[in-house]
Amino acid sequence: MATKERTKEILGELGKSVYEFREDDAVKWAKAALKEGVDPFQAALEGLAQGMIETGEAYNRKEYFVPEMLMAADALYAGLGVLQPAIKASGRKAKVAGSIILGVVEGDVHDIGKNLLKVMFDVAGWTIYDLGKDVPIDKFVEEQLKTNADIVGLSSFMTTSMLAMPVIIEKIHAKNPRARIMVGGTPLNPVAAEKYGADGYAKSAGTAVDEAMRLLEMLQKEELGQAL
Amino acid sequence: MKMMTRKATMTNKERVEALLRREKPDRVPHWPFGPQGFAMIYAGFSIADQYTKPPEVVYEAEKKASQDFDWVFAPQVRTRRGRGEFGGEVKLPTNKYSQAAYVVKYPAETPDEVMELKVPDIKLRYTPEVIDFYKRACQEEDGNKPFKISFGGTSVINTAGGIAGYDKLCKWMIQRPEVAHRLLRLAADYSIATAQYFKDTFGVERVLPKGYTAGASNQLISPKHFEQFALPYLKEVHQKVLAMGFKHLWVHPCGEHNLNLPYWQQIPMGDPGFVTIANEVDLETAAPYFPNDIIMGNLDTTVIQIGTPDEVYEAARKVIEQGKRLPSGFIFSQACGLPPMAPVDNMRAITRALNDFGWY
């Protein structure tokens, strides 16, 4: 069993491996965590995920850009790959923040932004249903009804593909008014989001989780109000 | 359909020619960026038709839209597939939500495949019918047409991103810089060979090489990576293309390039060049970095697509009034490609704004 100091050191090294995108070190320190009896859950959340959160903060400060985010994500998942069997074996489950469907809308294959979103929601403890890119309009509707996900995140990179967004939003809201929908991507802005009937807008992968949390809290308050 | 609140003393061709002589035109000209999709839809075709119909259909559609909306007409020679310069699999737009052809399978997936790639034969990108048509089109004079033709030839980082995908290019910038440099080398050699092919085929007089650099924006890469991976190749390509005798280059630093501006300043654009600024960069912030070039831009394409005509008119007014203050000359344009599905009334609102506020 690692001492408190050693545990702190391992968690710090795990976070640093992600932040400095050193995939081999993420694996090395994840193995060390298991070998020295550090709680794998703690290693994942307070080590690797914390490193990714700090990477996202550096991205928001424009100290990091997409290459650094992608490399950090690789280190994160390399370390998680080592820890996951032990987490699974422990039977413990992470506290789920919420659930989100992510996808790049029909006609669009630009998915780097959506993939970064996925990483950030992953480390924030969300259940993610990733539909990929060039996703047909009705697929979003079907998936929302099937999963009853709290949030649907629509991404678009072009002024043509963003035209699919109001169609998707209207269809989902008609079928399930509970669902909250947020939009993002190059041609989107708060004005477009409002015109399209979206509930939220995220400027970048670095702000999307906060926006989703805001929508989720609103949703929970509304549902609580209705229950009372 | 043209609305003139003052009597024009120049054609759009003459306006651009005046700017090239570093003189003021009678009015700010409107040179839309990537108008083919809109022009095709305006003429009753689909977005995909620009890739599949004979070149004269696209040419005539753009010429007609230029006449109706009072635009500069700079016909761009269409490639066989739109993307996929080095092979792979390209999908054409299938419906109104899809703006352009896109790569569905990259020609190189691994570093080894990148290192083994060779620059393909440029001629394969253009069918003989396309080349024959544009040779004839070069002979046609038009009051909106300052250049005989234009061609996409200097998009180094976009071409590199199209070989293995932007995500891999991004990662290799950190993980395998020699592979990222190889991609850029291939793209630069391809650009230089393309320009040489156009020189040999069409000459250099009034032929305009164009380049787009979405993949080098600060929404994707850092200024440090721009300096390391984009700057040397863009500089080399521009220098070599200008040395071939092309007088002016047209570039679009696509997206947010604020932190890259000091590097852009080091890249020769011609005498003068055309620099189309995106709406993420303020025109007056950008202008000092391009003191010898004509600044183009930068009406937000989102407002064109979703705004009301009044909102578009007002947004266009602001751009025009700011652009008119720029010392090295200004051409009104969009901040990025003209939305193919832009409402016609919004495009008319732009024409109206130029005729109300664009006069010098």
Side-chain angles (χ1 to χ4, degrees):
Chain A
M1 186 73 181
T3 62
K4 209 172 165 185
E5 288 71 30
R6 178 64 177 159
T7 300
K8 196 177 166 195
E9 185 193 355
I10 290 173
L11 297 179
E13 290 296 337
L14 281 168
K16 218 157 75 174
S17 306
V18 172
Y19 189 79
E20 294 174 0
F21 28 90
R22 289 182 281 107
E23 204 174 315
D24 290 347
D25 284 348
V27 170
K28 185 182 92 179
W29 285 103
K31 284 180 179 168
L34 294 182
K35 195 176 163 192
E36 298 183 36
V38 175
D39 176 6
F41 223 84
Q42 190 184 13
L45 290 180
E46 294 175 31
L48 295 169
Q50 182 57 32
M52 196 66 217
I53 288 166
E54 285 167 21
T55 304
E57 287 166 359
Y59 177 76
N60 284 342
R61 293 194 301 269
K62 287 188 183 287
E63 290 168 18
Y64 275 3
F65 295 79
V66 169
E68 291 82 0
M69 289 283 279
L70 291 172
M71 293 295 293
D74 280 357
L76 167 82
Y77 288 115
L80 282 177
V82 174
L83 298 175
Q84 257 157 359
I87 293 172
K88 213 172 169 182
S90 75
R92 283 177 63 190
K93 292 240 168 28
K95 187 170 172 277
V96 176
S99 55
I100 185 163
I101 293 167
L102 291 174
V104 181
V105 300
E106 185 168 337
D108 207 323
V109 292
H110 299 87
D111 64 352
I112 290 182
K114 186 269 298 171
N115 292 339
L116 291 179
L117 277 188
K118 188 180 171 187
V119 176
M120 299 315 290
F121 277 102
D122 209 1
V123 297
W126 285 65
T127 300
I128 303 159
Y129 305 97
D130 181 6
L131 301 184
K133 58 191 176 185
D134 194 10
V135 180
I137 287 171
D138 289 332
K139 178 75 183 155
F140 283 103
V141 186
E142 288 161 16
E143 191 71 10
Q144 203 289 321
L145 288 175
K146 194 171 91 185
T147 62
N148 196 28
D150 303 308
I151 313 281
V152 180
L154 306 176
S155 173
S156 154
F157 196 76
M158 300 167 120
T159 52
T160 45
S161 57
M162 77 175 191
L163 298 174
M165 288 180 166
V167 183
I168 297 167
I169 293 167
E170 195 183 342
K171 283 191 170 196
I172 292 178
H173 278 161
K175 297 264 185 186
N176 184 1
R178 178 188 181 274
R180 294 294 179 265
I181 304 170
M182 57 189 274
V183 297
T186 311
L188 275 300
N189 57 34
V191 177
E194 196 183 338
K195 279 198 178 184
Y196 284 173
D199 303 293
Y201 161 73
K203 188 173 165 59
S204 74
T207 59
V209 174
D210 287 345
E211 178 67 352
M213 281 307 299
R214 186 183 71 82
L215 295 179
L216 186 62
E217 282 165 15
M218 280 169 59
L219 180 65
Q220 287 167 344
K221 271 184 197 161
E222 275 175 36
E223 288 181 338
L224 189 65
Q226 282 164 7
L228 295 174
Chain B
M1 200 178 295
K2 283 185 191 177
M3 297 154 283
M4 297 288 175
T5 50
R6 257 173 58 179
K7 188 166 169 51
T9 57
M10 289 178 166
T11 62
N12 282 316
K13 176 175 185 277
E14 289 166 342
R15 287 173 183 139
V16 174
E17 287 170 347
L19 287 163
L20 291 173
R21 292 191 304 270
R22 301 177 192 285
E23 295 168 7
K24 270 204 164 58
D26 63 340
R27 198 208 71 195
V28 172
H30 180 185
W31 183 344
F33 169 10
Q36 294 83 11
F38 174 84
M40 287 297 279
I41 288 170
Y42 179 66
F45 296 96
S46 71
I47 297 174
D49 284 341
Q50 65 179 305
Y51 299 97
T52 55
K53 294 285 181 195
E56 51 267 40
V57 174
V58 184
Y59 181 93
E60 290 300 329
E62 193 179 340
K63 188 166 91 175
K64 172 80 166 62
S66 300
Q67 288 162 352
D68 287 358
F69 294 98
D70 198 9
W71 293 344
V72 172
F73 176 38
Q76 182 166 333
V77 177
R78 303 303 301 181
T79 56
R80 203 185 276 262
R81 305 191 302 169
R83 293 293 311 271
E85 295 89 340
F86 283 73
E89 200 180 315
V90 171
K91 191 176 170 189
L92 296 181
T94 48
N95 61 32
K96 66 179 181 178
Y97 301 122
S98 186
Q99 187 158 336
Y102 54 89
V103 179
V104 288
K105 186 176 185 311
Y106 291 104
E109 301 283 351
T110 65
D112 285 348
E113 286 173 354
V114 171
M115 299 313 263
E116 283 167 18
L117 266 186
K118 301 272 183 289
V119 175
D121 183 354
I122 305 300
K123 288 197 286 293
L124 297 176
R125 283 207 86 197
Y126 304 94
T127 63
E129 295 75 28
V130 163
I131 296 301
D132 286 348
F133 170 74
Y134 282 102
K135 278 184 176 169
R136 292 196 303 279
C138 280
Q139 309 304 316
E140 186 183 72
E141 291 298 334
D142 183 297
N144 290 326
K145 197 177 158 197
F147 291 92
K148 294 189 290 189
I149 53 163
S150 63
F151 64 96
T154 59
S155 306
V156 178
I157 202 145
N158 282 21
T159 304
I163 298 174
Y166 280 114
D167 51 351
K168 285 190 178 137
L169 175 60
C170 281
K171 283 187 195 179
W172 287 336
M173 284 178 180
I174 294 172
Q175 199 177 36
R176 299 286 303 270
E178 76 285 5
V179 181
H181 277 296
R182 173 67 184 158
L183 283 171
L184 270 304
R185 181 72 264 151
L186 286 164
D189 289 345
Y190 183 83
S191 293
I192 294 161
T194 300
Q196 186 62 52
Y197 172 69
F198 272 81
K199 178 186 175 178
D200 297 343
T201 309
F202 297 99
V204 296
E205 281 305 312
R206 292 175 59 213
V207 173
L208 183 66
K210 297 168 94 174
Y212 316 87
T213 53
S217 80
N218 298 135
Q219 284 138 323
L220 267 182
I221 66 170
S222 63
K224 186 188 85 180
H225 280 147
F226 185 95
E227 183 186 19
Q228 194 180 346
F229 292 100
L231 177 64
Y233 298 99
L234 282 168
K235 209 180 204 179
E236 178 194 337
V237 167
H238 282 216
Q239 281 166 346
K240 287 187 173 167
V241 173
L242 290 169
M244 288 176 199
F246 291 98
K247 291 193 180 74
H248 319 284
L249 302 182
W250 181 103
V251 296
H252 175 48
C254 185
E256 207 261 271
H257 277 262
N258 284 298
L259 300 172
N260 297 335
L261 289 172
Y263 302 115
W264 276 108
Q265 191 174 24
Q266 300 172 34
I267 300 168
M269 302 289 177
D271 185 24
F274 300 95
V275 184
T276 300
I277 303 295
N279 61 303
E280 292 90 345
V281 181
D282 185 79
L283 289 177
E284 284 173 300
T285 301
Y289 293 95
F290 305 100
N292 299 310
D293 301 310
I294 299 164
I295 302 294
M296 299 175 65
N298 66 349
L299 181 62
D300 183 4
T301 52
T302 302
V303 77
I304 300 173
Q305 181 62 64
I306 67 166
T308 63
D310 285 348
E311 287 167 344
V312 174
Y313 178 85
E314 178 58 15
R317 178 190 66 77
K318 286 181 183 164
V319 172
I320 294 161
E321 290 185 342
Q322 190 184 31
K324 276 169 70 179
R325 295 197 292 269
L326 303 179
S328 61
F330 173 66
I331 295 174
F332 180 89
S333 190
Q334 287 70 51
C336 198
L338 176 60
M341 307 295 290
V344 169
D345 284 346
N346 287 357
M347 297 311 296
R348 290 189 181 126
I350 295 173
T351 310
R352 211 165 61 239
L354 277 157
N355 281 307
D356 287 347
F357 308 108
W359 302 97
Y360 285 101

